[in-house]
Amino acid sequence: MATVLVKRGTLKRGDIVVAGASAGRVRALLNERGEKVGEAEPSTPVEILGLDGAPDPGEPFAVVDNEARARELTDYRIRLKRERSARPSGRRRLPGPT
C-alpha cells in the first residue's frame, strides 16, 4: 500500500504503477476517508493497493504501459540504490593536531 498524490493525468484501477523499487497493478484506490474510488484526478491524494512492497517516502511514482516496463524500471532503481549505498560518502577526515 502506498499513499500518492496525482500530479498529472488520471490514475485508474487496473493501471500498472511503479513507485520507487515497488511495482504492481492498482487493485483499489482509497480516498482520505478510506472509501473506494474509481479514479484519481490531479491534486487528489489516494492510497493504492496492489504494489509488491512499500516504497520509501517521497519516491516518485509513474504509470507504465506494461509489466515488462515496470520490471525494467524497478530493476534499474534497485541497481541505482545499491550502487549509491556501496559508494563511499566522499567525506574525508582531516588529520588532527599532532
Side-chain angles (χ1 to χ4, degrees):
M1 179 171 73
T3 302
V4 299
L5 179 63
V6 177
K7 288 186 176 181
R8 187 177 66 219
T10 302
L11 182 63
K12 296 180 256 340
R13 191 171 164 260
D15 285 345
I16 300 172
V17 177
V18 175
S22 301
R25 187 175 300 271
V26 177
R27 304 278 182 229
L29 295 167
L30 305 173
N31 65 13
E32 68 278 358
R33 290 180 227 100
E35 302 166 343
K36 285 188 178 182
V37 293
E39 59 183 31
E41 295 181 342
S43 300
T44 306
V46 289
E47 289 182 3
I48 298 175
L49 301 180
L51 294 177
D52 60 4
D56 292 335
E59 289 281 356
F61 84 99
V63 174
V64 294
D65 294 330
N66 55 48
E67 291 180 15
R69 180 70 177 136
R71 245 186 329 274
E72 182 182 323
L73 271 174
T74 55
D75 289 346
Y76 174 73
R77 290 178 178 181
I78 289 169
R79 189 172 58 248
L80 271 181
K81 194 174 186 178
R82 193 176 314 127
E83 289 173 0
R84 285 185 188 145
S85 66
R87 254 189 244 158
S89 66
R91 293 184 179 180
R92 295 183 188 186
R93 267 205 140 128
L94 297 175
T98 54

